[in-house]
Amino acid sequence: MANYVNARCPVPRNFSIAFFMHSLRSDWNNGHAHFMRGLVRALGQMGHTVTCFEREAGWSIDNLREEGEAGHRSLLQFESTYPDIRIVFHTADKDVLREGLRNTEVVVVHEWNAPDLIRVLLELRDELAFQILFHDTHHRASSSPEAIANLEVARFDGVLAFGRALQEIYQSRFGLERVWTLHEGADTSVFHPRNEPKTIDAIWVGNWGDEERSREICEYLIRPAGSLRQYSYVVHGVRYPPHGLEALRDAHIRYGGYLPNLDAPKKYAAARLTFHIPRQQYSTAMTGIPTIRVFEALASGIPLISAPWSDSEALFRPGDFRMASSGAEMTSAILQLLQDPVRASEQAAHGLETILARHTCSHRAQEFTSICEELTA
């Protein structure tokens, strides 16, 4: 009987895995860190041996340190929340990396890594015979394909894409066969409902960025807030230009600046609703890919209203969140949820149920393990 059960339900293999990331310690304009923290933890809980490699200095960590006390607290908060995550600092020195990767089976390289490091890792793959995956959680394969081609993606053993639309781009535009979809997910060891007094009506946690959604921020956040001044609004994020900050002030929206991601669950708990405003690439060329904040907000048990995007992969169920196709619809949806607490609570519970059933980092760790098994078969 035991043999029959084992044949039907094989025990997943445990792998020695190395992740090379821009930064795991810093979440400053680095949503990739949100998901990867939870994924690494979940993989470790499954029995895998996981090591995370990053440079001691870099764009995200340097900007975080410039936040002063908030940045210092964020780093300490990461260390205390994730004592189980092992981080190794590197300088792309080939001899040092050779020793660090000698017994590794699967190496995952995020697309924000520098070309010099990628070349070294590809050379070490040829020497040490590990499997190497390119991990893309951005839109450059669509918006700047030449930049991705320069990273020698064709030499990798496969690609992890954070949505089916991106997977199809790698298959059609780059001619790659071994491409898997690995969506982001919520780290429910951190993001879960909390009991906090409601001190604000609406919150948005998001960065302004490089003007990829400035029009959408104005239409779906700033203008509705300006027409509903009887309610309180707070925005957290970085890289807001002077004209963006002025627009927030004119709409009576309080700007809270940088928010450590690990503080977000408490902020969500203190608000009555939140928003999703996708960048233009994710509502056009790469439709169907939500940002990490959708997973995190729903996991926190807060009602969410989204600007337009197409859930082409059916990641969510009708009723998990509200979709507004215009600024007027956004204004109406805000009013409905703020004036009907029962309806808002039911929507929040619906979205949370979907996250727990489909979209946690534990789900993604199981999917990633299956990919490793296929890759090394």
Side-chain angles (χ1 to χ4, degrees):
M1 182 65 178
N3 291 335
Y4 174 76
V5 172
N6 289 336
R8 291 287 301 275
C9 304
V11 177
R13 269 192 61 193
N14 288 333
F15 291 91
S16 174
I17 305 165
F19 287 100
F20 283 80
M21 288 165 282
H22 174 70
S23 180
L24 198 66
R25 296 167 296 152
S26 173
D27 56 26
W28 196 97
N29 203 93
N30 181 19
H32 181 57
H34 303 194
F35 167 57
M36 290 306 299
R37 293 168 175 179
L39 178 65
V40 169
R41 166 171 282 175
L43 288 170
Q45 291 172 342
M46 289 181 67
H48 300 292
T49 300
V50 185
T51 305
C52 301
F53 291 82
E54 65 178 75
R55 295 185 190 262
E56 192 163 8
W59 182 78
S60 182
I61 192 75
D62 293 346
N63 277 283
L64 179 65
R65 287 171 173 146
E66 289 182 6
E67 293 287 341
E69 178 58 31
H72 178 68
R73 186 172 64 84
S74 179
L75 289 172
L76 293 178
Q77 194 177 22
F78 165 73
E79 292 174 0
S80 63
T81 304
Y82 295 99
D84 48 327
I85 292 181
R86 178 174 180 245
I87 295 179
V88 174
F89 299 122
H90 72 88
T91 59
D93 181 278
K94 188 174 182 179
D95 292 332
V96 174
L97 289 175
R98 178 186 292 110
E99 293 307 309
L101 297 175
R102 191 169 294 281
N103 297 313
T104 302
E105 297 170 274
V106 178
V107 173
V108 182
V109 184
H110 188 250
E111 58 105 6
W112 277 10
N113 281 289
D116 65 326
L117 171 64
I118 289 176
R119 283 193 295 271
V120 168
L121 292 174
L122 287 169
E123 291 171 3
L124 287 173
R125 182 275 312 272
D126 296 340
E127 178 182 336
L128 300 177
F130 52 71
Q131 299 290 306
I132 187 167
L133 290 168
F134 187 77
H135 190 190
D136 195 339
T137 62
H138 203 235
H139 57 67
R140 286 197 299 169
S142 171
S143 59
S144 304
E146 66 285 349
I148 295 298
N150 288 337
L151 297 178
E152 302 183 77
V153 292
R155 292 182 58 195
F156 281 77
D157 297 305
V159 173
L160 298 177
F162 77 141
R164 190 175 300 158
L166 185 58
Q167 176 184 1
E168 292 170 354
I169 288 172
Y170 274 100
Q171 292 170 328
S172 61
R173 183 172 296 176
F174 294 93
L176 304 182
E177 295 182 1
R178 305 182 83 184
V179 186
W180 294 269
T181 292
L182 183 70
H183 281 286
E184 295 176 320
D187 181 0
T188 50
S189 70
V190 173
F191 285 85
H192 51 79
R194 306 181 184 212
N195 291 320
E196 296 285 341
K198 302 296 182 185
T199 57
I200 52 177
D201 293 309
I203 186 172
W204 186 54
V205 183
N207 305 319
W208 187 279
D210 297 315
E211 303 295 339
E212 316 105 311
R213 57 178 168 188
S214 53
R215 182 185 65 80
E216 290 79 5
I217 293 173
C218 290
E219 180 175 358
Y220 292 97
L221 174 67
I222 293 175
R223 289 172 189 158
S227 67
L228 298 173
R229 298 189 179 216
Q230 66 270 38
Y231 299 110
S232 57
Y233 301 81
V234 173
V235 165
H236 286 278
V238 299
R239 301 179 70 199
Y240 278 73
H243 67 272
L245 295 174
E246 182 180 1
L248 293 180
R249 288 193 297 269
D250 289 345
H252 289 202
I253 299 173
R254 181 164 63 86
Y255 175 59
Y258 165 72
L259 179 71
N261 186 53
L262 295 174
D263 284 344
K266 188 173 182 179
K267 292 289 185 179
Y268 283 138
R272 297 170 65 191
L273 63 82
T274 190
F275 308 99
H276 169 48
I277 306 176
R279 289 176 170 82
Q280 293 170 7
Q281 283 287 337
Y282 302 127
S283 57
T284 54
M286 290 172 55
T287 184
I289 301 176
T291 71
I292 184 63
R293 299 193 193 275
V294 173
F295 298 113
E296 293 176 342
L298 295 182
S300 299
I302 184 173
L304 177 124
I305 311 172
S306 179
W309 68 286
S310 174
D311 184 13
S312 57
E313 296 186 50
L315 297 174
F316 301 98
R317 302 176 298 164
D320 285 345
F321 55 86
R322 293 285 299 273
M323 187 80 78
S325 61
S326 66
E329 283 193 14
M330 177 65 79
T331 303
S332 176
I334 292 171
L335 275 173
Q336 289 176 3
L337 289 179
L338 291 181
Q339 292 177 354
D340 190 343
V342 174
R343 184 175 184 175
S345 179
E346 290 174 349
Q347 179 183 310
H350 201 276
L352 173 62
E353 185 178 69
T354 295
I355 294 296
L356 295 179
R358 304 180 184 179
H359 301 308
T360 69
C361 286
S362 293
H363 289 104
R364 301 299 182 255
Q366 293 168 7
E367 294 166 14
F368 179 74
T369 299
S370 297
I371 292 170
C372 290
E373 291 173 340
E374 182 178 348
L375 184 70
T376 59

